[in-house]
Amino acid sequence: MSATAAIEVRGLRREFRVRQGIFAAPKRVIAVDDVSFSVPPGSVLGVVGESGCGKSTLARLILGLLPPTAGEVLVDGQRLAQMDRRARARLIQPVFQDPFASLNPKRRVRDIVAMPLIAQGSIGRAEVERRVGEALERVGLSSDQGARFPAQLSGGQRQRVAIARALVLRPRIVVCDEPTSALDVSVQAQILNLLAELRRDLGLTYLFISHNLAVVEHIASEVAVMYLGRIVERAESERLFAAPRHPYTRALLASVLTPEPGLGVPDVGLGDVMPDPANIPPGCRFHPRCPVAVAQCSAESPRPATDAAGLVECHLARHAA
Amino acid sequence: MSALLEIRDLRVTIGSTAAVRGASLSLDKGETHCLVGESGCGKSITALSVMGLLPRGAVRETTALRFAGEEIGHYGERQMERLRGDRMAMIFQEPMTSLNPAYTVGSQMTEVLRRHRGTPRAQAVDRAAELLARVGITAPGLRLGQFPHQLSGGLRQRVMIAMALMCDPELLIADEPTTALDVTVQAQILRLLAGLQKDLGLGILLITHDLGIVARVADRVSVMYAGEVVESAPTATLFAAPQHPYTRGLLSCVPVPGKVKRDEPLGSIPGVVPRIRPGFTGCGFRDRCAEATPACAGTIPRRDLGSGHEMLCVLDPGRDGKAAA
């Protein structure tokens, strides 16, 4: 760990106040709860979890789109909070799920891709044009496609535009929040291949958020599993998929339906209780759904335990490791 | 004796798009038939054709559309209304498309039964509570009095399934029923559907883009591309020996944990799904197909490969040693 981490997150916490009715008192929802990790340069940290686990909030905190309630984010060794917006944009860029929502429909593709360069305010027109052309080519779009509007492109092509826009400032880190979830399978494969190729060629670091575990296993070098705002397990990708230690990780892996006929649909064993970030249960927050919970789990919060195999936050897993 | 549902040579044209171009499939009682394909391939339109729920302006033609041995292709709106919700039911990806936000779960569920069967209210309420319990909802009495927005996504999906079952349908059409759900909930819902099918002998036509779901729940699979069923086979055969280049491409695109190494490129299909206009001839996949030949622009034969395996392609089955069946 001598090299500076590409992303370092220390004690990160984010709360929201949510009103559930006009007259109800606002409720405190802890979307991200005391999360710490670091991502070495050139690697891919996959973040998985169900909807509402806080993975998108985590992405927004790391991008500086949301201020944390507590804790801090360091990007390439610098405190995000103290960074100027332009400097931040040169270092870290997002790719979001729905390319239709994240691209201005009234602008041509090349103008969309040029925007981050123009916002820097110091790059000449010829240079902007050259770098836009370069970025479009990098993601496999023709200059002819650069002259079109987003609505004239397919979903996969639009996601390529979003990737070109993210790369045009030559950032070191890209935060991908469900980048292929809105795409068809054949197109998803094209985009995943492109992201993997770009990482190799440009030495990028990814924070890769997805609910699709097969996709994460394919692209991530390390995986963090989030449950109700906390990282309950973190390990190298191969290790996590081969020997998951947290019961929640095991349930998530069991629920992946691989295209293998004859295996049927597995019994995940999680029961009917749904996680609610506004009502986090006492003790281990996973205990109401946990198939192996013991009395201790409902009384006492487990502490994260780190060893050579990674991190796990479970009363039972700690003894096993 | 005869299939529960039989569609022969279905054609649907919507404006200047040929959405379905001669699709045929059949479904037996107690069987799950998966219709798989990417967006715009015509799978949802095929389902809506069966239910008589096509959008205004769509033109439907078929050689045969039989439900439980009865030709329903010529049925008018009133006759279809009598079938829908009673003997055939449909569930959707987004439960709020079939749930009315202004009525309680109970009043919506009982309406189905009261309308089709004239069942007295109290009895209909009992039936609704029984079905909510059957789909794994705890405290059904409480849920009956709630509005859809008070339920989680997984619960709404269960309510929609329970509502579809109110009249004991013979056919259930499920259009991407778990796409909007978390994987853990998806597994629960699919197990539920499989259990219901076993108990009630339902025929299920399941529409999905997810080959993982297909592999795990289908008895039979039909792959659709550009409005045509390009390959159809029993599930094990389709996954073990896919023959159509599109099916093979689709299967190679899916990352399988432990099969494809990290950082090794996934298979992919170049290009995008074309929009097919009426009057189009030849194979709709030929522009994206690596094995295309001049013959692909002509009439494409439907080939019977034996053991219920069919494909729509000019290429030789088993051309690369991967024999059919």
Side-chain angles (χ1 to χ4, degrees), chain B residues 114-134:
Chain B
R114 298 178 67 187
R115 188 182 165 134
H116 284 293
R117 301 279 160 85
T119 313
R121 186 175 169 78
Q123 235 174 296
V125 170
D126 287 348
R127 169 83 177 148
E130 176 200 322
L131 277 171
L132 286 183
R134 181 70 190 79

Side-chain angles (χ1 to χ4, degrees), chain A residues 29-41:
Chain A
V29 173
I30 304 166
V32 172
D33 188 4
D34 193 15
V35 163
S36 304
F37 61 82
S38 79
V39 187

Side-chain angles (χ1 to χ4, degrees), chain A residues 1-299:
Chain A
M1 283 296 201
S2 56
T4 312
I7 304 172
E8 189 170 352
V9 161
R10 296 180 188 153
L12 200 60
R13 180 183 175 89
R14 174 71 206 199
E15 294 172 6
F16 294 100
R17 292 194 164 270
V18 183
R19 245 176 231 277
Q20 290 185 326
I22 313 173
F23 302 110
K27 238 181 174 175
R28 211 172 53 155
V29 173
I30 304 166
V32 172
D33 188 4
D34 193 15
V35 163
S36 304
F37 61 82
S38 79
V39 187
S43 64
V44 180
L45 176 67
V47 179
V48 298
E50 292 164 295
S51 32
C53 73
K55 53 192 195 301
S56 288
T57 302
L58 180 67
R60 298 174 74 81
L61 289 167
I62 289 170
L63 284 162
L65 299 175
L66 269 181
T69 309
E72 61 179 357
V73 178
L74 281 81
V75 175
D76 201 26
Q78 306 164 60
R79 285 201 170 79
L80 192 73
Q82 283 151 22
M83 229 186 274
D84 155 53
R85 262 173 67 180
R86 293 196 189 94
R88 198 172 72 205
R90 288 195 298 271
L91 210 51
I92 186 164
Q93 283 284 334
V95 174
F96 293 112
Q97 172 172 357
D98 184 354
F100 206 69
S102 64
L103 303 179
N104 186 337
K106 296 196 172 168
R107 290 194 167 263
R108 292 181 193 278
V109 164
R110 55 168 185 250
D111 298 331
I112 292 172
V113 176
M115 204 49 127
L117 292 167
I118 294 166
Q120 289 290 317
S122 55
I123 303 168
R125 189 185 292 181
E127 175 72 0
V128 168
E129 218 164 276
R130 197 181 62 74
R131 283 175 62 176
V132 168
E134 191 187 280
L136 288 177
E137 197 191 317
R138 203 57 264 192
V139 301
L141 290 174
S142 64
S143 55
D144 170 51
Q145 285 163 329
R148 295 196 202 157
F149 292 97
Q152 294 170 301
L153 301 178
S154 70
Q157 288 165 339
R158 283 197 288 261
Q159 200 56 296
R160 286 174 194 267
V161 175
I163 295 171
R165 177 176 58 184
L167 292 181
V168 76
L169 282 173
R170 300 180 187 143
R172 309 269 294 278
I173 301 150
V174 179
V175 175
C176 308
D177 190 356
E178 302 272 8
T180 61
S181 304
L183 304 174
D184 272 318
V185 241
S186 71
V187 184
Q188 163 178 291
Q190 291 171 9
I191 297 294
L192 287 176
N193 288 345
L194 174 67
L195 286 171
E197 181 193 309
L198 291 170
R199 190 193 63 77
R200 264 195 314 273
D201 295 356
L202 308 175
L204 296 170
T205 305
Y206 291 155
L207 184 77
F208 193 97
I209 294 174
S210 179
H211 70 281
N212 186 329
L213 280 105
V215 165
V216 168
E217 194 208 15
H218 185 70
I219 198 159
S221 38
E222 209 187 355
V223 180
V225 181
M226 280 189 84
Y227 190 77
L228 284 179
R230 297 214 26 109
I231 291 181
V232 295
E233 181 165 6
R234 199 184 73 231
E236 242 175 65
S237 187
E238 271 125 70
R239 196 188 286 266
L240 186 109
F241 282 91
R245 296 198 284 174
H246 197 285
Y248 179 61
T249 312
R250 286 201 291 271
L252 269 187
L253 293 186
S255 60
V256 176
L257 302 178
T258 52
E260 297 168 280
L263 294 184
V265 184
D267 180 6
V268 182
L270 285 185
D272 290 334
V273 192
M274 283 294 120
D276 176 4
N279 284 305
I280 292 180
C284 170
R285 51 197 69 200
F286 181 58
H287 86 264
R289 296 173 81 193
C290 184
V292 292
V294 296
Q296 186 191 12
C297 302
S298 53

